[in-house]
Every structure is written in C-alpha cells, then in structure tokens.
Amino acid sequence: MAGVALVWYVGFRSVDFGAKLLAAMLVAETGVLFVLAVAILVQGGSSEGIGFESFAPSHLLEPGMASILPTAFAAFMGFEATVIYGSETREPRRTIPRAIYIAVAVLAVTYAFIVWSIVQAYGAQGIVAAAAADPVGLFFNASDTYLGAWFTKVMHLLIITSVVAGLVAFHNAVTRYTLAITREGLLPARLAAVHPRTRSPYVAGFAQTLLALVIVVGFAIAGADPYKHLLIWVNTPGVFGILLLQVAAAVSVVAFFRRTPNTEGRWRTVVAPVLSALAMIGVLVLAAWHMDLMTASSPAVSFVLLATVPVVAVIGLCWGAWLRRNRPEVHARIATNCEEEFSDERR
C-alpha cells in the first residue's frame, strides 16, 4: 500500500519532479553495479583472469540463445515511451528522437559491460555452472566475494528502489497514454483533466492508482505469489503485446510513406522498418516457443497467458471497425494528438 501511495504521489507531481527522482534512483542503482564491476576488474577477476571469451560470435549459435533473446528484448522495453512526453517537452521533434537514441545506447553499453564484469568474477568456464546453481544470487554472491556482505545489503536495498522507479515510469506512461486517447474521444472526457499547478494528468493517475490498488489487494487476498503470479504472469502478456505493437508500427511506417509524398530516404521509410519488423517477428516466435522459460509455469498456464494477446488484439480491431462505421469523427482523430504536438513546433 505504501508503494501504491508513493507511485501515485510521484505521478501526481510534475513530470520534472518525477524525472529528477527517477534520475537519482537510476544513478544509485547503476552506480552500485559499476562499483562492483570495477572491484572485480581491479582484483583481477577469477583465477582464469580477465578475458573476452564471452564476446565470441560463436555463442550466438548456441541452443540456449534462442530462449534468451526474448528476455533481452523485454529488458529494453519502455525506450519507445519517450514519445508520449512530447506535449511536456520543449522542441519535441529534436528532443524525443535524441532521448530514444541515447537511452538505447546507454542501456546496451551498460548491460554489456556489467554482465561482462560478472563473467570475469566467476570466469568463462565457471559462469555457466554458477548461474545454473544460483541464478538469483549470481550478482550478490559476487558482491560478497569482492566487496563484502555490507555492500550486498546495499544492493538488496537498491533493488527495492529500482522496483519503485520502474513502477513510477510505467505509471507515468499509462497516465499519459490515457490522456492521449481520451483527448481523441476514446475514453470519458474527465480522464483528460490536467492539474492546473503540476500539469500532470491527475485524474488518469487516480484511475490508474485505483486499478493498481484493486489488483494488488486482489492478489494478496488470493494468497498469490507476488513475484511469480503478480509480476511474471500479469506482465508476460504485456511483453508480447508491446512487441506486437512495435511490429505493427514498423509495418505502418512502410504503408504510410508508400501513399504519402515525402522527402525521407528509403532507409527510413522502407529498409529499416522492414528489417525491424522481421527481427521482432522472429523474437515473437522465439518467445512464444520458449514461453515456459518466461513464466516458469505449465504449458496450460503459458497458453492461456499467450492467448490473451490475440484476444485483446481482435477486440481492439473490432472496436476500431465499430468506431469507423458508427463514430467516424472519433475514428478520424485517433493518433492525431501526437502529430499535432510535433506539427505545432514546426509551425
């Protein structure tokens, strides 16, 4: 309940306040990982010494890689959400793309460096056995060895703050998506209210907080496991849903520019979106094939979780068709809000 209240409060405040808080948490969380990485490298790593065997291209062809890729894609999700802050940023046409590229680059470099340093902690020959024996404690055991138990306690504490940071980010994203589609006439107009002082979509924030409260209390009353059931089971369909939406977005780029006169090159209008769509379709297939690794559940549970994605997609398509036939003025406004924000700057 304290977590729900904290997330609501941060979301209620201005986007600037939330960004500063998230930045502070991010610096602390990544900072401890960099301290651990430096400690490992300064002490020379395991008895095998420092090496780069983990970067060998041959590892891409190992059987387990197919099941790891979907998890890697899931770890990057959220970078595309920068677009929804267009109305709250100066010069969104320049700021938003730059933020996306920087976010992806920082994530890639940080993840690669930290994981490589952990490989050095156990050695290229010992890392697989260590991960298999204790996957949850892999980083903590390395911390005990190279920095001591006190540092491991700090890492445990910062895991909690990282969860809060993630929840705040998702809360802000949901409320701003709600604001956008409400302005397009798809939800009750009251949800589009913006607070006069903080400029946040506070009514949408209340609605999202109430929904979170109902879900958390419901799972608690049912005695569900907070990690496996509430986090993994509830979020797994979202991973597939976002990937599916990204595929649709990539395909729509090609379709849009084929019928719209433009000065963009073929790389941006055809080649890049086609390659992206094919790559993400491949990841979707791999993720569905190895669903049990993501849910740690029976095939029946995995099937039900996966089936919710096409069911929701069909409902959405049917709703869109109904709007186009019965409320064409609302259908015509879909996705125009973001376009207006960026066109305002051009004007």
Side-chain angles (χ1 to χ4, degrees):
M1 298 303 102
V4 171
L6 177 60
V7 170
W8 165 80
Y9 176 73
V10 176
F12 174 76
R13 295 290 300 271
S14 66
V15 66
D16 185 58
F17 174 83
K20 290 178 179 177
L21 179 63
L22 290 177
M25 290 181 173
L26 181 64
V27 169
E29 294 150 14
T30 55
V32 295
L33 291 175
F34 275 105
V35 170
L36 175 59
V38 171
I40 293 170
L41 298 179
V42 168
Q43 297 179 47
S46 70
S47 58
E48 299 178 29
I50 305 299
F52 297 91
E53 294 89 342
S54 56
F55 289 105
S58 59
H59 293 312
L60 293 173
L61 304 177
E62 293 181 2
M65 185 58 67
S67 61
I68 292 298
L69 280 177
T71 305
F73 268 69
F76 274 77
M77 286 181 180
F79 74 89
E80 75 288 344
T82 51
V83 176
I84 64 177
Y85 293 97
S87 63
E88 299 172 79
T89 57
R90 291 187 292 270
E91 302 180 32
R93 191 171 177 81
R94 180 177 63 88
T95 304
I96 298 300
R98 184 175 63 183
I100 292 176
Y101 288 129
I102 291 175
V104 173
V106 171
L107 283 170
V109 173
T110 301
Y111 285 161
F113 173 70
I114 296 300
V115 174
W116 171 75
S117 69
I118 294 300
V119 172
Q120 308 315 303
Y122 295 93
Q125 303 303 317
I127 184 64
V128 175
D134 189 6
V136 176
L138 191 68
F139 279 68
F140 301 122
N141 294 335
S143 174
D144 283 339
T145 301
Y146 290 90
L147 287 169
W150 69 272
F151 193 82
T152 304
K153 292 179 180 179
V154 173
M155 291 180 66
H156 278 290
L157 177 63
L158 290 176
I159 280 185
I160 298 175
T161 64
S162 70
V163 172
V164 172
L167 292 173
V168 168
F170 279 116
H171 175 86
N172 287 342
V174 170
T175 56
R176 277 143 183 93
Y177 276 124
T178 302
L179 175 64
I181 62 178
T182 300
R183 287 176 172 174
E184 293 165 0
L186 298 173
L187 291 175
R190 179 60 179 160
L191 291 172
V194 175
H195 195 275
R197 179 172 56 84
T198 66
R199 306 305 301 166
S200 66
Y202 71 106
V203 176
F206 276 123
Q208 164 62 15
T209 300
L210 180 60
L211 177 61
L213 194 63
V214 171
I215 296 297
V216 170
V217 171
F219 272 74
I221 293 175
D225 183 273
Y227 180 76
K228 179 178 180 180
H229 298 143
L230 179 56
L231 177 64
I232 301 300
W233 286 14
V234 171
N235 282 279
T236 294
V239 172
F240 285 89
I242 292 177
L243 274 172
L244 188 62
L245 287 172
Q246 290 178 346
V247 171
V251 173
S252 71
V253 169
V254 179
F256 175 80
F257 283 110
R258 284 194 63 182
R259 63 174 184 263
T260 306
N262 66 89
T263 58
E264 305 289 348
R266 288 185 60 81
W267 170 257
R268 299 181 70 179
T269 60
V270 179
V271 179
V274 167
L275 292 176
S276 299
L278 292 175
M280 287 185 289
I281 289 172
V283 172
L284 272 171
V285 173
L286 288 173
W289 188 260
H290 298 281
M291 184 79 166
D292 58 313
L293 295 179
M294 300 179 70
T295 63
S297 303
S298 65
V301 171
S302 296
F303 175 80
V304 170
L305 293 175
L306 185 60
T308 61
V309 178
V311 169
V312 171
V314 169
I315 292 173
L317 291 172
C318 291
W319 186 26
W322 183 89
L323 287 171
R324 189 170 189 173
R325 183 174 61 254
N326 298 282
R327 300 181 64 188
E329 74 286 353
V330 174
H331 185 272
R333 288 204 303 268
I334 294 177
T336 58
N337 185 51
C338 182
E339 181 182 347
E340 291 170 357
E341 291 170 0
F342 281 78
S343 63
D344 285 342
E345 183 196 344
R346 289 197 296 273
R347 288 196 293 268

